[in-house]
Amino acid sequence: MASNEYLDSLMAELASQGIEPPKKSNTSVINNINDRELQIIMDMERVTGKKYSDEQRKILEHHGNAAILACAGSGKTTVSTHLIAKRILTGEIKDVNKLIYTTYSKAGATEMKERLDILLRQLGVNLNVQVRTLHSFFLQVLRTFGVTANIIDGSERSKMIRQACKDAEFPLKDDDLMLIDNLLSYQVNCLLSDKKTIDSYVNTLEDLTLEQYSKIRKSYAYQKGAKSVIDYDDMQSYLYLWLVKYAKSKNQAERDIAKSVRDYCKAMYTDFYIDEAQDVSKIQFAIVRAMTADPNDLSKLDRNLVFIGDDDQCIAEGTKIRTSNGIKNIEDIKVGDEVETVFTTDKHEYNVGFSSVNAVSCKTITGKIVQLTLSDGTILRGTEEHVCFIKDIHSLYTKHIGDNCRKELDNEHDSLSEFYGSGIIKYYMLEMGKIKKNMYVPVIVDKDVIDLCVDKVELIDYTGKVYDLSVPKTRNFVVNNVVVHNCIYQWRGGDPSIILSVGPTFNMPTFVLS
């Protein structure tokens, strides 16, 4: 499928989900690459042994800002690392110390950092590129401007939310705590009022009133204030207040704060690379925009920006799903169907039941997908980016980062994307493309959740449709008896139109890696 056709199909998919598709950019790609730059690209191929595809080469030859929409198996990480290396070698990146590369998980940042370091060493470049999680980057800015509060962990957050529910006289049952936790984050990420949060499709608590929710939110905020702590959502709220709200304020002192924070960010960083951009929420995009755009014209960038995302998190057609009306193929699942899911009780026990689907995503792909074969012969096929649950995270990361870093990761469970608030606990989230042999995944057998070993991981050729489901009550569903994550990103606050609209917004080209 050609790039334009692929973008058209994605925008049509957004329209079918009730999301207004972005306008197309009229920007044409003019590379103006010189002989020296072409030689550097050829040298990179020779030194690394990588043979660039035509799509990859177009990106490497491009100068300046860009949005890169990378499908599963398209070489997104290769292009990202090689693009930075090429721009360092050509001098387009003038000061590596002013480059920031952000991703969403500590594990992802660690992997990207390692890949970049290895590549630069291969090319004889002894420079250090800063790779951080987005929240870590935000926290650095907050610390610079005097926010010294500690970050609460997941268990402390849960205790506070539970107390807030008591204060609001809202009795918790089953997984209500998890759902309220998600609502609080969803509200911040989507910049919603209390009423719009309660009215949103992610709210499945029919007995939660607007008054109760407002009391819960205020009580939770009061408890954090009383203990002088903040959470990850507060990091974003602070920066949004300073960079966006204060910039529009009638109060001169507030406008001065906005200018100070903005000027600091622009002085510290000239090149922004935002990876996993499919997960960027409205509030995060507003913050990044304030850091990279001309404050007098937010449609123009005065810093270099590369937006890199992958919308392809899907399960192959033909995959079986047990519903309340019998077993169906995933392609036959409709909105409103009750599909098999795993619920978690307050005692951290698992109950297998059924939960309603509120959105279905479908697209046609041609390329490589992952095929997992479990110890009992079960086969699961999906795109490399589809998120699964696994037990043995260490077999993957210890190999790459060593025991000291592994200990650090263990102490920061959120950075490892532990299944907090995902309906199933004591597991970690990992993309199918990163799952290794001998890891364990949760499987449903006779209404029990057991762990089965992965016997084989293969990349296979695939042409056909892939599907994803939104199951807001549990954030998971069961396919071929394997529990997988609810991947459609809207429930997390991620805005699926941003990765498509960022090109037209800043009049920069959108590249597709198919």
Side-chain angles (χ1 to χ4, degrees):
M1 186 181 295
S3 294
N4 287 340
E5 293 176 313
Y6 186 77
L7 289 172
D8 288 343
S9 69
L10 288 179
M11 286 190 272
E13 181 185 331
L14 290 177
S16 70
Q17 297 177 26
I19 302 169
E20 183 178 352
K23 295 179 180 178
K24 285 189 177 180
S25 173
N26 294 320
T27 306
S28 58
V29 179
I30 302 175
N31 290 323
N32 293 328
I33 192 164
N34 59 40
D35 290 343
R36 177 174 174 271
E37 291 172 326
L38 285 173
Q39 185 61 52
I40 287 173
I41 291 174
M42 288 189 290
D43 288 344
M44 288 170 60
E45 280 188 316
R46 176 180 54 80
V47 171
T48 63
K50 300 284 187 183
K51 181 64 177 177
Y52 303 128
S53 67
D54 290 342
E55 291 174 336
Q56 291 172 332
R57 183 174 285 273
K58 285 181 181 178
I59 294 171
L60 292 174
E61 292 178 355
H62 177 64
H63 297 168
N65 308 309
I68 301 172
L69 186 61
C71 304
S74 62
K76 175 175 75 77
T77 304
T78 295
V79 166
S80 301
T81 53
H82 286 229
L83 179 62
I84 290 174
K86 175 254 178 180
R87 290 183 171 186
I88 290 174
L89 290 168
T90 62
E92 184 176 346
I93 294 175
K94 295 178 174 59
D95 186 349
V96 175
N97 294 321
K98 292 188 175 184
L99 183 153
I100 178 70
Y101 192 110
T102 70
T103 184
Y104 269 78
S105 69
K106 184 69 175 292
T110 300
E111 180 187 0
M112 179 59 68
K113 173 64 174 169
E114 183 190 60
R115 292 277 293 269
L116 263 173
D117 287 347
I118 291 173
L119 175 61
L120 291 175
R121 286 198 299 269
Q122 283 181 296
L123 298 171
V125 178
N126 185 26
L127 292 172
N128 180 48
V129 176
Q130 184 179 180
V131 182
R132 312 186 69 155
T133 63
L134 195 61
H135 285 110
S136 172
F137 171 49
F138 288 169
L139 183 59
Q140 174 197 327
V141 179
L142 294 180
R143 295 297 193 223
T144 300
F145 285 88
V147 177
T148 59
N150 291 326
I151 311 299
I152 62 172
D153 60 22
S155 61
E156 184 67 17
R157 175 180 166 99
S158 293
K159 290 178 183 177
M160 289 185 180
I161 294 175
R162 189 181 296 278
Q163 180 59 51
C165 290
K166 289 182 180 179
D167 294 342
E169 298 182 347
F170 179 74
L172 291 171
K173 56 182 182 294
D174 298 328
D175 55 355
D176 287 357
L177 178 66
M178 174 194 73
L179 294 174
I180 291 174
D181 185 303
N182 287 337
L183 275 181
L184 291 167
S185 287
Y186 184 82
Q187 178 176 15
V188 172
N189 277 285
C190 294
L191 298 171
L192 298 178
S193 65
D194 288 353
K195 186 176 189 310
K196 286 186 177 180
T197 303
I198 286 295
D199 292 342
S200 69
Y201 80 95
V202 300
N203 177 29
T204 57
L205 296 167
E206 296 180 358
D207 52 345
L208 177 64
T209 67
L210 174 59
E211 182 181 5
Q212 285 175 316
Y213 177 75
S214 295
K215 286 182 178 179
I216 290 170
R217 179 182 58 76
K218 292 174 182 177
S219 172
Y220 175 55
Y222 175 80
Q223 291 177 71
K224 287 186 293 181
K227 293 190 175 183
S228 299
V229 295
I230 60 174
D231 60 21
Y232 289 102
D233 296 328
D234 293 327
M235 294 183 197
Q236 301 177 158
S237 297
Y238 270 116
L239 285 180
Y240 181 77
L241 178 67
W242 293 348
L243 287 167
V244 181
K245 299 290 283 186
Y246 279 4
K248 302 175 183 177
S249 174
K250 295 180 180 179
N251 184 299
Q252 183 62 48
E254 292 179 347
R255 292 201 304 274
D256 288 344
I257 291 173
K259 185 177 185 303
S260 295
V261 179
R262 184 179 67 239
D263 288 351
Y264 166 80
C265 295
K266 289 181 180 293
M268 289 294 294
Y269 300 104
T270 57
D271 296 83
F272 292 75
Y273 287 73
I274 310 298
D275 198 358
E276 297 178 0
Q278 73 277 359
D279 291 313
V280 169
S281 65
K282 285 183 172 66
I283 193 171
Q284 291 163 353
F285 181 65
I287 293 167
V288 170
R289 187 173 189 171
M291 293 179 176
T292 57
D294 182 341
N296 298 313
D297 186 350
L298 292 179
S299 67
K300 295 180 180 179
L301 293 168
D302 62 10
R303 291 296 179 270
N304 300 314
L305 177 64
V306 177
F307 231 59
I308 310 157
D310 183 351
D311 79 311
D312 211 2
Q313 301 183 356
C314 301
I315 297 294
E317 61 183 333
T319 304
K320 304 295 183 183
I321 292 183
R322 185 175 290 107
T323 76
S324 56
N325 292 318
I327 295 176
K328 294 182 180 181
N329 287 340
I330 193 168
E331 60 265 30
D332 297 323
I333 299 296
K334 308 296 182 186
V335 172
D337 282 351
E338 299 278 331
V339 299
E340 190 171 35
T341 56
V342 177
F343 299 82
T344 306
T345 69
D346 289 341
K347 296 181 180 179
H348 293 173
E349 297 172 344
Y350 298 139
N351 289 332
V352 179
F354 295 96
S355 190
S356 180
V357 172
N358 76 334
V360 178
S361 170
C362 171
K363 59 177 67 69
T364 300
I365 66 169
T366 298
K368 298 286 188 180
I369 64 171
V370 179
Q371 179 170 292
L372 303 180
T373 303
L374 307 187
S375 56
D376 69 344
T378 295
I379 291 176
L380 178 63
R381 296 183 302 157
T383 57
E384 291 186 81
E385 295 298 324
H386 195 91
V387 180
C388 292
F389 293 165
I390 67 158
K391 260 289 176 65
D392 184 10
I393 197 76
H394 294 152
S395 64
L396 176 62
Y397 290 109
T398 302
K399 175 182 176 183
H400 294 298
I401 63 177
D403 289 333
N404 289 338
C405 288
R406 184 189 71 184
K407 185 176 180 180
E408 177 186 351
L409 290 172
D410 283 341
N411 290 335
E412 298 184 29
H413 71 275
D414 188 72
S415 66
L416 268 178
S417 301
E418 190 172 3
F419 273 2
Y420 175 70
S422 296
I424 183 168
I425 58 173
K426 299 179 181 177
Y427 291 86
Y428 297 92
M429 288 190 285
L430 194 67
E431 300 97 323
M432 286 186 71
K434 295 179 181 177
I435 291 178
K436 305 295 182 183
K437 182 179 177 180
N438 295 328
M439 289 183 175
Y440 288 83
V441 297
V443 175
I444 306 301
V445 176
D446 296 329
K447 296 294 183 181
D448 288 328
V449 179
I450 67 170
D451 298 324
L452 283 186
C453 185
V454 177
D455 267 3
K456 186 187 296 185
V457 181
E458 301 170 277
L459 274 180
I460 62 173
D461 293 321
Y462 182 83
T463 297
K465 293 181 177 180
V466 289
Y467 295 81
D468 200 3
L469 308 179
S470 174
V471 189
K473 190 169 181 61
T474 61
R475 313 307 183 205
N476 67 68
F477 57 100
V478 182
V479 290
N480 285 1
N481 294 328
V482 181
V483 188
V484 298
H485 195 256
N486 171 126
C487 282
I488 291 178
Y489 26 73
Q490 288 166 265
W491 67 265
R492 295 181 300 217
D495 186 339
S497 68
I498 290 175
I499 183 62
L500 291 174
S501 63
V502 69
T505 296
F506 296 125
N507 197 33
M508 64 187 189
T510 297
F511 295 90
V512 172
L513 284 174
S514 60

